[in-house]
Amino acid sequence: MTLSAVSPATGVDGSGLRHLAIIMDGNGRWAKARRLPRVAGHRAGVEAVRRVVEAAPDLGIEILTLYAFSSENWKRPAEEVADLMGLLHHYIRSEIKDLHKNGVKLDFIGDWKALKPDLVRLLEDARVLTGANTKLTLIMALNYGGQDELVRAARGLAVAAAAGRLDPATISIEILAQRLDTAGLPPPDLVLRTSGEMRLSNFLLWQSAYAEFVATDTLWPDFDRAALAEAVAEFATRERRFGGR
C-alpha cells in the first residue's frame, strides 16, 4: 500500500518534529495495578489515543503513527484479541465524524486487509471519508510487523525481477522504500515508547534507522497532552546527525 505524500515542512513549534511514531504500551499493567480486567486498560488506552490526536497538531506534528495491533498480538488469548478488535471497531465508528470534522486524515499500514471483512470495509470507508484532510495524518499500524513488511517488500521486488520488469542490479534504498507500507511518507523523526520499555518490538524497523528514541515510564492510559509536550521538548534538545559526523 502506498500512502499519499506529505510536503516538506517544519513543525510549527520549531522542533522539526513532523512525524511521531508511538509504541503504545502499558495498558495491561495499568489495569492490573487497579485490579481490573485487561480490557479496561485497553479501553483507557483508547481515551489516551483521543487526547494525543487532539494535541498533536498544536505541537507541530503533521503525521502520527500509532502501533495499534501487531502481527504478534495474535498470540494473545483469543478473548483479549476479540476485545481489541471490538475496541478498534468501536473507535472507528464513534470517532470518525469528529476526526473528519477536525481535519484528520486516517490511514493504515500493515496487513490490515487480512482482518475480518466487515472491519476492513469500515476501515476503507474511513480512509475514503477523510482522504482529503490535511490538519493531521493519523496512521494506525494494524496487523503490522516490521519484519513482515520487509518480507512483503522483498517478495514484490523478487516477483518483478522474475517477470523481467526489474533489473536486480538497480535495486536501491529508494526502490525498496517504495515497496514499504509507508511509501510516500517521511520517516519518523521520533519513536516514543510508553511504560518504560526500551525496545522497538518489530515496529518500523526500516523507517526508524535515524529516528530519535524517547522512552517514558508513563503507562499509555495515563499519557496526555502534557506528556506529549514533554516528549516533543526532549526531541528538540537532540542534535540529529544522520551519520554525517
Side-chain angles (χ1 to χ4, degrees), residues 13-219:
D13 66 334
S15 70
L17 173 51
R18 297 180 57 211
H19 185 176
L20 170 64
I22 303 180
I23 303 170
M24 305 178 292
D25 194 18
N27 291 349
R29 273 167 283 177
W30 184 93
K32 184 177 180 180
R34 290 159 177 79
R35 298 183 179 181
L36 297 171
R38 286 181 66 87
V39 68
H42 295 314
R43 288 171 181 159
V46 170
E47 296 301 316
V49 169
R50 183 180 293 112
R51 293 192 295 267
V52 169
V53 169
E54 290 176 353
D58 296 337
L59 294 168
I61 297 166
E62 301 170 28
I63 307 163
L64 177 64
T65 300
L66 302 179
Y67 203 7
F69 189 86
S70 79
S71 51
E72 287 75 34
N73 286 158
W74 295 109
K75 300 174 185 176
R76 295 186 178 188
E79 183 179 358
E80 183 176 358
V81 171
D83 286 337
L84 288 167
M85 291 294 109
L87 281 172
L88 173 61
H89 198 283
H90 175 74
Y91 175 81
I92 300 298
R93 280 199 176 279
S94 63
E95 298 293 319
I96 191 60
K97 289 183 179 179
D98 282 343
L99 290 173
H100 184 44
K101 181 178 69 175
N102 293 325
V104 177
K105 176 183 178 179
L106 185 60
D107 216 328
F108 311 97
I109 60 173
D111 192 15
W112 58 275
K113 291 188 178 181
L115 300 175
K116 289 186 176 181
D118 63 326
L119 181 54
V120 172
R121 285 193 298 272
L122 183 64
L123 300 178
E124 285 278 20
D125 290 345
R127 291 179 73 221
V128 171
L129 177 65
T130 63
N133 294 338
T134 59
K135 186 174 182 181
L136 174 72
T137 298
L138 173 61
I139 301 168
M140 301 181 74
L142 297 172
N143 196 20
Y144 175 87
Q147 292 175 330
D148 175 71
E149 179 187 29
L150 289 167
V151 167
R152 287 187 281 110
R155 188 181 297 127
L157 291 172
V159 169
R165 300 191 304 271
L166 176 68
D167 180 355
T170 67
I171 296 175
S172 62
I173 290 174
E174 292 75 19
I175 287 176
L176 194 152
Q178 285 303 310
R179 293 276 180 169
L180 298 177
D181 296 348
T182 52
L185 288 175
D189 300 296
L190 172 64
V191 175
L192 169 68
R193 181 164 190 149
T194 59
S195 85
E197 301 294 345
M198 300 288 288
R199 56 181 179 271
L200 284 173
S201 294
N202 201 19
F203 183 50
L204 298 179
L205 300 180
W206 173 281
Q207 298 88 339
S208 299
Y210 283 101
E212 296 295 314
F213 186 78
V214 168
T216 174
D217 290 334
T218 303
L219 302 177

